[in-house]
Amino acid sequence: MAPQDYVSRKPNKKNNSPYKSDAPQAPAMSLKNKVILAITVFFAAAFGYGLWKLNQTPAQAPIIIEQPKATTKQNEVSLPEPPKEKWDYMKELETKEVEVGEYEVTNKGPYQMQCGSFRTREQAEVLKAKIAFAGITSQVRETKGKNGTWHKVILGPYERKRLAEKDKHLLKNNNVNYCQIWLWR
């Protein structure tokens, strides 16, 4: 055990005087605490008085307004006749026929979605695997152009553009961005 240093130690805070009791004394309330306590007691008393005052006031009788009685044969209330219409469109609408147009929706053709174009096949395969984790099948298409060979990651064909947009949003939620939708060629 290490030796104790009695010289550098602070003196005991307890005063061992025989004339003072060893029981801890409660600290005196500060002025701030006294003011807060007085305000709280005042508001509690005012709230109690308000409730007592509400309980002592008599309730007012409800005001009943009597309506004049209708004087008809069997004490029935009759409705007044509706006013005459200023416009005649109501009668026109009853006999109106709606023209139905014969429109033909033309399908522009199948759509494809391209999500990337890379110089190396390995980069294209990495993107294809990322798309597969999203639950969509894709293919890597090799194209040769003026600048050399490119490996494109293609999805599709889609019958409608809306189906391609649906897959595009699914890929965007899975961190596959920059996909473009084009007509199938």
Side-chain angles (χ1 to χ4, degrees), residues 66-120:
E66 292 186 25
Q67 295 183 359
K69 295 182 179 179
T71 55
T72 58
K73 291 182 182 178
Q74 299 172 348
N75 288 337
E76 293 180 12
V77 178
S78 63
L79 296 175
E81 291 194 25
K84 187 174 182 180
E85 291 286 335
K86 295 180 186 177
W87 301 279
D88 58 349
Y89 68 90
M90 296 295 286
K91 293 177 185 175
E92 289 179 11
L93 286 177
E94 291 175 358
T95 59
K96 181 91 175 170
E97 290 187 24
V98 179
E99 295 179 19
V100 179
E102 302 268 339
Y103 300 104
E104 185 175 322
V105 177
T106 58
N107 195 359
K108 292 183 179 178
Y111 293 92
Q112 70 177 356
M113 183 166 35
Q114 179 179 334
C115 288
S117 183
F118 302 98
R119 289 281 188 178
T120 62

Side-chain angles (χ1 to χ4, degrees), residues 31 42 45 169:
L31 179 64
F42 173 74
H169 290 296

Side-chain angles (χ1 to χ4, degrees), residues 3-180:
Q4 294 182 356
D5 186 11
Y6 292 104
V7 176
S8 65
R9 195 169 74 174
K10 293 181 180 178
N12 195 357
K13 289 185 179 181
K14 287 185 180 179
N15 192 359
N16 293 332
S17 171
Y19 300 110
K20 292 188 177 181
S21 68
D22 290 339
Q25 295 179 354
M29 285 184 68
S30 68
L31 179 64
K32 180 181 175 182
N33 289 341
K34 289 179 182 178
V35 169
I36 291 174
L37 180 65
I39 290 172
T40 305
V41 168
F42 173 74
F43 280 117
F47 182 71
Y49 175 75
L51 290 178
W52 176 78
K53 188 71 174 168
L54 284 175
N55 192 20
Q56 298 301 320
T57 57
Q60 293 180 351
I63 299 172
I64 300 173
I65 299 173
E66 292 186 25
Q67 295 183 359
K69 295 182 179 179
T71 55
T72 58
K73 291 182 182 178
Q74 299 172 348
N75 288 337
E76 293 180 12
V77 178
S78 63
L79 296 175
E81 291 194 25
K84 187 174 182 180
E85 291 286 335
K86 295 180 186 177
W87 301 279
D88 58 349
Y89 68 90
M90 296 295 286
K91 293 177 185 175
E92 289 179 11
L93 286 177
E94 291 175 358
T95 59
K96 181 91 175 170
E97 290 187 24
V98 179
E99 295 179 19
V100 179
E102 302 268 339
Y103 300 104
E104 185 175 322
V105 177
T106 58
N107 195 359
K108 292 183 179 178
Y111 293 92
Q112 70 177 356
M113 183 166 35
Q114 179 179 334
C115 288
S117 183
F118 302 98
R119 289 281 188 178
T120 62
R121 185 162 188 87
E122 291 80 25
Q123 290 174 324
E125 291 293 334
V126 168
L127 182 59
K128 181 180 175 181
K130 206 172 186 182
I131 292 170
F133 280 120
I136 303 171
T137 59
S138 62
Q139 55 187 339
V140 177
R141 185 180 298 164
E142 187 177 308
T143 59
K144 294 185 182 183
K146 296 177 186 176
N147 298 337
T149 305
W150 290 90
H151 302 277
K152 297 180 180 181
V153 181
I154 304 290
L155 286 81
Y158 297 99
E159 283 184 34
R160 293 177 290 160
K161 192 172 183 179
R162 182 163 296 238
L163 297 173
E165 288 286 340
K166 179 181 170 189
D167 282 352
K168 183 178 179 181
H169 290 296
L170 179 66
L171 289 172
K172 201 174 245 187
N173 289 339
N174 286 298
N175 253 356
V176 178
N177 299 318
Y178 310 113
C179 294
Q180 297 293 319

